[in-house]
Amino acid sequence: MEEDKRAGSGPVSVGLLAHVDAGKTTLSEALLYHAHRIRTMGRVDHQDAFLDAHPLERARGITIFSDQAEFMLGGREFFLVDTPGHVDFAAEMERAISVMDAAVLVLSCAEGVQGHTRTVWNLLRRAHVPTFLFLNKTDRAGADPERVLREAQRQLSPDIQPAEALDEAVAEREDDLLEAYLAGGLSGEAVQAAARRQIREERLFPCYRGSALLDEGVQALLDGLASLAQTRYDPEAPFGARVFRIRHDAQGNRLTFLKLMGGRLRVRDAVAIGEETCRIGEIRLYNGSRFSALREAQAGQLVAVTGLADCLPGQALGQCEPAPSPLSAPLLSARVEFPREVPVQEVLSAFRKLEAEDPSLGVQWSESLQELHIRVMGVIQLEVLQELVRERFGFSVAFGRPEIVYRETIAAPVRGAGHYEPLRHYAEVHVRLVPLPRGSGIEFASRCHVDDLPLQFQNLVRTHVFEKEHLGVLTGSPIADIRVELLAGRAHLKHTEGGDFRQATYRAIRQGLMKAESILLEPYYAFAIDAPQACMGRVLSDIQRMSGTFDPPETDGERATVRGRVPVSEMMDYAPDLAALTKGQGHLALRFDGYEPCHNAQEVIARRAYCAEADKENDADSVFCQKGAGFVVHWDKADDWMHCEVPEDA
């Protein structure tokens, strides 16, 4: 019991998450009002919501940027983190999840569990964030809280239990508690302690209900958070923090938002970032768009600091684990069209700042084509980026037609070698590329002994494997699901310089790809289509036409639901067709569900017309030196010139 009390005494970060239009921002207003952080409740339609302060958010009526507010509740400090609900800004939402101690998942009692709801739930389970639910909009016409509760129990977890029956739900999960409960001897204190434990262990998810707009059920939710949400932070531990957001203020100062996972942080403290050391300039405690300055922050708090350069969201500082790799992946790529009178460097600098705030943008500049490309989740994000660039940087941009982001992998292991030896430079790298299961990303392993290549150079190779996106040879798309194994390497005591192993590593990977049997991958959606049974035959026919697969439809009265998987390229524009087919009575829910071999690979390859040999920014050839002069050896002849002898069974 003493441990339980101590665990619940620190700051608590509570995130609000939902499918768009579930009423999440309205709920945040009501919670902040009851917690005495704001005097009056704002409204989305009145454009005065406290945590939707950006003009773009108020104009569009949606949350675009995660934001926070701090308040005291039950003698403890709480941080409320409001997150975007629109799928185009899922990456922003996922970054915020990495610093949550608890989450409130908001469901509309009219719409129920929707496609993005399931995505959010899976992200919360992956991050092991204790979760509360709030069934909102009980005042809406057609609202059915009991139906939505059953739907949530069926589709999300049977451990979602109504808050009004929490005592019984807690007792049912532990035999000794159930015995005491049936005998009438279970104290309220014992129930609370068990509930906190079960919520922390993700064996229980309390579910509240009400109407945020009418201020019904909000106080009960707040009371539940005050009594049941826990934290475990130690201000006396060594310093550790996780970066979860990058912003720039009106004066252009770079703000690094941190969650302190342990210890304390003071103004002028030195913080190591890689091999660099930076000093903290300011520490700011933000409430919406306003902030107050702190001299010190402690474990559990969410603060913004100045003075930290080159940090990225998800990065760990001090003694802390980095955030898991994000699952939200941009599925579209678009060319940035900008006025030619605006210098390229100015445009690139602006998009690099935006990329620092949202790394998923994946800004790419092609020197040979003089083109700038970015990656996005959808067209709404492109519209927002247009307005952001105009507002923050003072010039206008447009975007070319978005295209699907393809990836490439290999069918079987293959070796690659790269040599870089212009005059007074030297590095050689031998790698094996090994295909991995779908969704594995890029991995690195060394099979090279330190006697053959010192550890400092092996670490350089590792760095160069991960520092850029290596492109495949079919369409010039990024490679994925490959392990790069370092087999051998060689440096020169006198002539090896900083960038030599970069060049050798890049060329080794590229040469391996040129030798390999490559596979083009495309993104897939997991879909759920709810429609009148009379229309289901046509829907199933459409899915087959789109090269999709599906499970047998589930029927409920006059309606039916079908679930399956389909290429993103085929279904991304299907919503209007479904609406026309069902006369507006059909509902389509989509979520990204990984990459698979492309269903029309030859067509895509022909359309892209990519020439790997001509892409000198991704060169497979090697550079050797003879008689004091460097010369290029074509990739398919380079193996005969390599200096390292690598056994076949290495």
Side-chain angles (χ1 to χ4, degrees):
M1 182 64 70
E2 193 61 37
E3 180 186 355
D4 189 61
K5 288 181 179 178
R6 181 178 59 80
S9 61
V12 183
S13 298
V14 179
L16 290 185
L17 306 102
H19 187 97
V20 68
D21 291 334
K24 172 183 53 60
T25 300
T26 304
L27 178 60
S28 75
E29 292 290 306
L31 289 170
L32 294 176
Y33 174 76
H34 280 271
H36 308 294
R37 168 50 63 186
I38 57 177
R39 294 181 178 178
T40 57
M41 289 189 286
R43 287 179 53 154
V44 174
D45 53 343
H46 292 175
Q47 299 188 3
D48 59 357
F50 183 72
L51 292 181
D52 278 357
H54 196 283
L56 288 176
E57 295 178 307
R58 293 186 167 179
R60 289 179 173 270
I62 60 172
T63 302
I64 297 172
F65 311 102
S66 60
D67 217 334
Q68 68 188 59
E70 179 256 7
F71 58 88
M72 299 301 295
L73 182 64
R76 283 192 294 167
E77 185 178 31
F78 275 73
F79 291 87
L80 188 67
V81 182
D82 189 24
T83 66
H86 197 287
V87 68
D88 277 21
F89 308 103
E92 177 88 356
M93 175 266 296
E94 190 172 351
R95 287 189 288 271
I97 286 178
S98 71
V99 296
M100 293 178 186
D101 301 308
V104 177
L105 179 60
V106 186
L107 278 68
S108 166
C109 283
E111 286 79 15
V113 176
Q114 298 171 273
H116 193 50
T117 311
R118 287 186 287 272
T119 299
V120 172
W121 180 264
N122 291 336
L123 289 171
L124 290 171
R125 302 286 61 78
R126 179 195 187 220
H128 300 294
V129 178
T131 304
F132 300 72
L133 289 88
F134 188 76
L135 308 186
N136 194 24
K137 300 187 178 183
T138 53
D139 58 306
R140 277 270 303 273
D144 189 344
E146 295 302 328
R147 174 186 62 80
V148 175
L149 175 60
R150 292 193 301 272
E151 199 173 276
Q153 290 172 329
R154 186 176 70 253
Q155 297 191 33
L156 305 180
S157 171
D159 293 318
I160 296 171
Q161 295 294 322
E164 58 270 20
L166 212 56
D167 288 11
E168 182 178 349
V170 168
E172 286 177 345
R173 280 157 177 75
E174 298 183 28
D175 291 342
D176 55 338
L177 293 178
L178 181 59
E179 187 176 333
Y181 176 78
L182 294 174
L186 188 60
S187 69
E189 187 176 353
V191 170
Q192 288 280 301
R196 284 192 287 269
R197 183 174 61 254
Q198 292 175 13
I199 292 168
R200 183 177 70 239
E201 295 171 354
E202 299 177 84
R203 293 191 289 138
L204 179 65
F205 306 99
C207 183
Y208 299 79
R209 66 180 67 182
S211 169
L213 186 62
L214 300 183
D215 195 18
E216 296 173 354
V218 177
Q219 186 61 53
L221 173 61
L222 206 56
D223 292 343
L225 291 171
S227 61
L228 299 175
Q230 300 182 89
T231 56
R232 295 175 180 272
Y233 296 110
D234 184 0
E236 306 310 318
F239 165 73
R242 180 176 292 159
V243 180
F244 69 98
R245 194 165 69 211
I246 302 294
R247 291 287 181 268
H248 294 81
D249 65 14
Q251 288 71 46
N253 297 310
R254 180 187 170 103
L255 300 175
T256 303
F257 283 78
L258 305 174
K259 168 71 171 279
L260 266 70
M261 310 302 283
R264 304 174 188 273
L265 184 67
R266 301 173 180 87
V267 173
R268 302 299 300 161
D269 275 358
V271 176
I273 303 174
E275 298 180 357
E276 301 292 325
T277 299
C278 300
R279 290 201 175 272
I280 300 298
E282 296 178 84
I283 301 177
R284 302 179 181 182
L285 181 64
Y286 268 88
N287 278 290
S289 58
R290 300 190 291 271
F291 70 88
S292 55
L294 301 178
R295 296 294 303 170
E296 176 184 283
Q298 67 174 7
Q301 290 187 309
L302 303 180
V303 296
V305 302
T306 62
L308 297 184
D310 300 327
C311 284
L312 294 174
Q315 188 171 342
L317 305 177
Q319 295 192 19
C320 174
E321 290 294 319
S325 300
L327 293 180
S328 301
L331 305 181
L332 300 176
S333 174
R335 185 181 70 257
V336 181
E337 299 172 350
F338 54 92
R340 289 304 166 186
E341 61 269 20
V342 181
V344 167
Q345 288 306 317
E346 183 178 337
V347 177
L348 194 53
S349 173
F351 275 89
R352 290 296 183 203
K353 284 187 176 180
L354 294 173
E355 184 184 33
E357 298 173 4
D358 181 3
S360 67
L361 281 178
V363 174
Q364 292 182 320
W365 169 255
S366 172
E367 189 66 35
S368 59
L369 298 176
Q370 291 288 292
E371 288 185 352
L372 179 63
H373 290 256
I374 60 170
R375 293 180 188 154
V376 293
M377 301 290 287
V379 293
I380 300 298
Q381 187 180 2
L382 285 177
E383 294 172 6
V384 167
L385 283 170
Q386 258 185 322
E387 297 174 50
L388 273 178
V389 171
R390 183 169 56 249
E391 170 201 315
R392 289 177 54 179
F393 305 110
F395 60 88
S396 297
V397 295
F399 299 99
R401 187 178 186 278
E403 297 184 353
I404 296 293
V405 175
Y406 293 91
R407 293 180 181 173
E408 296 182 29
T409 191
I410 56 176
V414 66
R415 289 191 180 197
H419 189 96
Y420 187 70
E421 193 188 358
L423 189 62
R424 297 187 180 89
H425 294 267
Y426 188 97
E428 183 169 302
V429 171
H430 292 252
V431 299
R432 177 168 49 224
L433 307 182
V434 180
L436 296 175
R438 299 287 172 261
S440 300
I442 302 297
E443 297 180 0
F444 175 82
S446 178
R447 312 290 183 217
C448 179
H449 198 280
V450 292
D451 290 345
D452 298 324
L453 185 67
L455 188 59
Q456 68 187 85
F457 294 123
Q458 295 194 32
N459 288 336
L460 271 180
V461 173
R462 177 190 179 92
T463 297
H464 299 322
V465 167
F466 291 112
E467 71 186 357
K468 67 167 278 188
E469 277 191 340
H470 300 275
L471 303 187
V473 299
L474 297 177
T475 61
S477 299
I479 61 171
D481 306 336
I482 293 175
R483 182 171 64 248
V484 180
E485 297 179 350
L486 175 62
L487 301 179
R490 182 174 292 182
H492 193 283
L493 288 174
K494 182 178 179 181
H495 295 311
T496 298
E497 295 189 359
D500 294 353
F501 270 95
R502 173 182 289 109
Q503 288 288 338
T505 302
Y506 288 1
R507 292 165 192 268
I509 293 173
R510 185 69 167 181
Q511 194 219 30
L513 294 172
M514 294 294 284
K515 294 177 180 178
E517 177 189 347
S518 293
I519 301 171
L520 185 65
L521 304 175
E522 67 176 337
Y524 268 66
Y525 280 138
F527 68 84
I529 298 176
D530 176 69
Q533 279 204 52
C535 302
M536 191 51 63
R538 172 66 185 278
V539 169
L540 299 181
S541 176
D542 286 348
I543 295 169
Q544 291 176 321
R545 175 180 52 79
M546 292 185 286
S547 301
T549 59
F550 53 87
D551 297 325
E554 307 163 14
T555 58
D556 182 9
E558 295 182 354
R559 300 188 67 82
T561 302
V562 61
R563 307 179 194 281
R565 301 180 79 229
V566 68
V568 168
S569 60
E570 298 291 338
M571 191 171 264
M572 60 186 299
D573 298 322
Y574 185 60
D577 295 344
L578 180 66
L581 169 65
T582 62
K583 296 182 171 57
Q585 298 182 57
H587 303 290
L588 172 65
L590 301 170
R591 63 176 175 84
F592 170 62
D593 197 37
Y595 276 77
E596 300 291 349
C598 185
H599 76 287
N600 59 338
Q602 292 309 313
E603 177 186 331
V604 173
I605 293 169
R607 186 172 69 243
R608 291 291 180 96
Y610 175 72
C611 179
E613 295 267 7
D615 185 356
K616 292 306 176 184
E617 293 179 23
N618 296 276
D619 203 343
D621 301 338
S622 283
V623 180
F624 292 84
C625 187
Q626 198 171 62
K627 298 180 180 179
F631 63 98
V632 175
V633 176
H634 195 261
W635 66 267
D636 64 351
K637 303 288 193 300
D639 287 350
D640 296 335
W641 290 78
M642 295 295 167
H643 294 177
C644 293
E645 293 186 7
V646 185
E648 283 299 318
D649 58 351

